[in-house]
Amino acid sequence: MRWWLFLLGWLFAIVAQAKQQIAVQKFDKKNHKIFELLADRVDAQNHIVTASGHAILLNYDVYILADKAIYDTQKKEAILEGHVKIYRGEGLLVRAEHIKVKLNEKYELIFPFYVQDSVSGMWISADIAHAKQNQYYIKNLTASGCSIDNPIWHVNATSGRFNADKSHLSLWNPKIYLGNIPILYLPYVFTSTSTKRSSGLLYPEFGTSNLAGFIYLQPLYIAPRDSWDMTLTPQIRSKRGLGLNFDFRMINSHQDKFIFNMRYFRNYNHYTELYHLRNQNVFGFETLSASRQAFQKYFGLKSKLDNAYYLDFLYMNDLDYVRFEKVNQRITDATHMSRGNYYIQTNNHYYGLNLKYFLNLNKINNDRTFQSLPSLQYHKYLAPLGWKHLLYSLDYQFHDIVREVGYGYVQNTIQIPLGMQFSLFKKYLSVGLWNNINLSNVVIGNTKNSYVPNIPGVSKVYGNYFSSAYTLYLNTDLAREYNKLLHTVQLEAVLQGTYYNFANGLFNDQMYVLSAQARNDFTSNTLSDYDYRGQIYDSVWNPSAIIERNPSSRQLSLNLTQYLYGINGQELFYWRIAQSMDFDDKISLLRMPMETKLGFSPLKGLNIYGTLFYSWYYNSLDEVSINANYNYKFLVANISYYLKSNFNDNGINKIVENNSNYLKAGFSNDFRWFSLTGSIGYDISKNVILNWDVGIFKKIRCFGIGLKFVNRRRPVLTDNPNDPLKIYENSYIKLELDFSPITKTNLTYRRLKQ
């Protein structure tokens, strides 16, 4: 009987406790709970409900934790005190000591104020904030991405606004502090702590240089629709000039991407004159677009015909167009090839349209640069001709080569390989015997100021070329497995030669001789015009650039390639050796160097590879390239060596002394307490260090600081036609500061030498 009394008392205690924990509940018309107040202890007097001890207020998807909650059932108003935290989902929205919530008007008054973004870790603290519908208007605020207890860096602002829905933060009169030291003041800053696409100001890039002055780039991101967006980035370089970058990105309903970028910068007059810059106004644009199955997407073609287009075009009038993309972008190449193509193909046929535009900023201009606008191609894929071992294919190409100054030309070429391919000795040996027919026709134009040799009875307008050659292939491909290793060997011998050759007009044998003589004997009054025998020409006909004169009749090429694979197909070792012999070379059978390629991975993360060319004719190395890369955990290291010999039959020992001989090395590693990076380039033949840099960097959660010492050779376009590209030795010290997650900046001191 006693156990019944004990059980009954226990049930009453549970019910009583539950009544104390659940103070107020509210349901909507669909009987969904929209409001609930719980606590360890609940007291009610008239229309005032006081909940204390782990008070919890639930409202839709928002829940609030506090030490104490006082709720007015008539006014539908709640006051929460002591360690107040407001959550939405799993993210912390607000932390405070006192909150007043009017549930019917969705109105809040918070004192003091604290809000933190759960994704980036960015937090905002203020003395007082006035909020309405997730818009917080803040006075005397502090913000940082560091720990709130002792932030390494922080921002103080007189006022601000935070949009909790869009994660937008606006600050007026912000000052950035490193510890207690102010390092930067800005009148206004707008930033986003969200990873979602939304219009607004992006994190700025800024730095300082003794040559360019204070550098500031402020991106404005505009995303009106999910299908496209753009970025406007005004920039100022206080000692150099002003500019604007424009980036546009779009993806259409067919999931095809389109990118268009444009850039403009104007150098100040004194800066242009000081460094003799070729262009005071730097500008350019670039576009990138591609699409597969375009006919099906845009013209409703029902067939599965394979077709696609690709466009990558860049135009710029100065190398600085690339530099102005960021605070200081490095330039590694002053040449660029823009291209566009469209193709249609089936299993047997290929049709293509190609455009190529070459840009070389090492020249004063590109008026004399050949451009391929356009080229057409038809290709018949390899197919049997009546018998499965008798094969043929056909390739036709049309080229329209133009330029503003100098001759251009139109070229038609046809290549027809016809041959037999079969295997012997149970497929251990593959044999191929081919006949290759080549036809080419060229018509030149714009020759009014071009020098074309005058040969009696030989056309100066067109030229024809025809050749027929044979090729004999012998190759074998062997493989064998050894426990956990796989070894493959490929052997190949190729014998080829031209047995018939015909040329006339522009490809007449005398054309090669006289045009070469004119190019070698001209005197130049300007950088670009040719003065030949008292007459000025803007170009000299060069048939060798189109078709090689007297191609070799008989050549034998021998190749040996080996691979060694480990577990899961990992390549452990490869070796290739190749030698070509020219039987019609009157000087030496082995004038062409022997090529050797080697690569292996003796340790995990270590890759060693290289190429070696050895000349038997000169009994010397012709070219050597050796590279070693190592990656392990946070360590990245590399070293490379390059040698190129310049041979001359008239020189002593047939070798010219000014060989190319370079050594490069670099590494980076995180040593836990700090990170270290470095690289160096060394010209061995001249005993000169070309480029070097060394940097040390430390990242402490929300803040990073780095110091970098750099020496670079910097190309600059000048207004001097005789020296259009001047190289400066650019030495500088750069201090890098990383304020996560807001922005990175750097302070640079430069010293330029000629």
Side-chain angles (χ1 to χ4, degrees), residues 568-581:
N568 299 324
Q570 179 185 2
E571 184 181 292
L572 302 177
F573 174 84
Y574 78 86
W575 176 43
R576 178 180 184 269
I577 184 169
Q579 176 68 64
S580 294
M581 292 170 279

Side-chain angles (χ1 to χ4, degrees), residues 64-310:
I64 306 175
L65 306 180
D67 294 339
K68 183 179 180 180
I70 301 172
Y71 179 63
D72 189 326
T73 58
Q74 290 184 351
K75 295 182 179 180
K76 296 181 181 179
E77 183 178 277
I79 298 175
L80 298 102
E81 298 177 340
H83 301 94
V84 182
K85 296 179 181 179
I86 301 180
Y87 292 88
R88 172 175 289 167
E90 297 180 355
L92 175 64
L93 293 180
V94 176
R95 179 183 293 168
E97 290 297 322
H98 180 93
I99 291 180
K100 186 177 181 180
V101 181
K102 290 185 177 181
L103 298 172
N104 56 341
E105 298 178 7
K106 297 182 180 180
Y107 182 86
E108 302 170 10
L109 181 63
I110 304 172
F111 176 82
F113 173 81
Y114 177 87
V115 61
Q116 183 172 24
D117 183 73
S118 59
V119 177
S120 65
M122 188 78 181
W123 57 263
I124 308 162
S125 177
D127 293 338
I128 191 167
H130 173 265
K132 189 173 184 179
Q133 295 183 350
N134 289 330
Q135 293 276 354
Y136 299 93
Y137 301 88
I138 316 163
K139 295 291 184 181
N140 299 324
L141 65 94
T142 300
S144 179
C146 300
S147 171
I148 190 173
D149 299 329
N150 187 22
I152 300 173
W153 69 268
H154 67 276
V155 179
N156 285 352
T158 56
S159 60
R161 183 174 62 186
F162 180 72
N163 187 319
D165 293 329
K166 298 182 179 180
S167 297
H168 290 173
L169 174 63
S170 301
L171 301 177
W172 283 268
N173 301 311
K175 295 179 182 178
I176 299 180
Y177 287 80
L178 189 59
N180 295 320
I181 303 173
I183 62 172
L184 182 66
Y185 167 80
L186 296 171
Y188 174 77
V189 167
F190 177 90
T191 186
S192 173
T193 61
S194 173
T195 56
K196 295 181 180 179
R197 298 172 69 254
S198 56
S199 300
L201 296 177
L202 302 179
Y203 298 140
E205 287 187 64
F206 52 89
T208 182
S209 166
N210 63 311
L211 295 180
F214 176 71
I215 305 171
Y216 183 77
L217 284 77
Q218 178 56 69
L220 170 61
Y221 182 66
I222 303 173
R225 295 189 179 183
D226 292 338
S227 59
W228 65 273
D229 58 38
M230 59 183 176
T231 306
L232 291 171
T233 309
Q235 64 171 292
I236 179 172
R237 300 171 189 254
S238 61
K239 292 184 179 180
R240 182 164 186 178
L242 304 171
L244 177 68
N245 298 350
F246 172 75
D247 302 289
F248 177 82
R249 298 159 293 270
M250 183 182 72
I251 182 168
N252 61 20
S253 58
H254 301 293
Q255 302 302 306
D256 291 333
K257 296 179 181 179
F258 175 78
I259 298 174
F260 179 78
N261 301 326
M262 194 163 50
R263 205 166 299 142
Y264 173 79
F265 190 90
R266 180 174 177 81
N267 293 292
Y268 294 140
N269 292 335
H270 68 272
Y271 191 93
T272 304
E273 295 171 0
L274 178 63
Y275 293 103
H276 304 285
L277 300 183
R278 183 190 306 175
N279 301 300
Q280 182 174 15
N281 299 295
V282 178
F283 58 86
F285 67 92
E286 52 191 315
T287 181
L288 178 64
S289 179
S291 176
R292 295 294 303 268
Q293 306 302 93
F295 276 143
Q296 289 84 345
K297 292 177 180 178
Y298 301 105
F299 301 101
L301 182 67
K302 302 301 181 182
S303 170
K304 294 183 179 180
L305 180 70
D306 183 19
N307 65 102
Y309 80 85
Y310 176 82

Side-chain angles (χ1 to χ4, degrees), residues 370-376 396-403 407-413 439-447 461-464 506-507 541 546-547:
F370 287 111
Q371 312 293 351
S372 179
L373 303 170
S375 294
L376 302 174
Y396 165 77
Q397 295 187 35
F398 167 85
H399 300 281
D400 182 20
I401 309 300
V402 298
R403 55 179 172 173
Y407 68 86
Y409 60 92
V410 174
Q411 181 183 15
N412 295 277
T413 62
L439 303 97
S440 186
N441 168 265
V442 168
V443 177
I444 63 172
N446 195 26
T447 59
V461 178
Y462 67 88
N464 298 301
L506 295 170
F507 300 111
W541 167 242
I546 303 175
I547 296 175

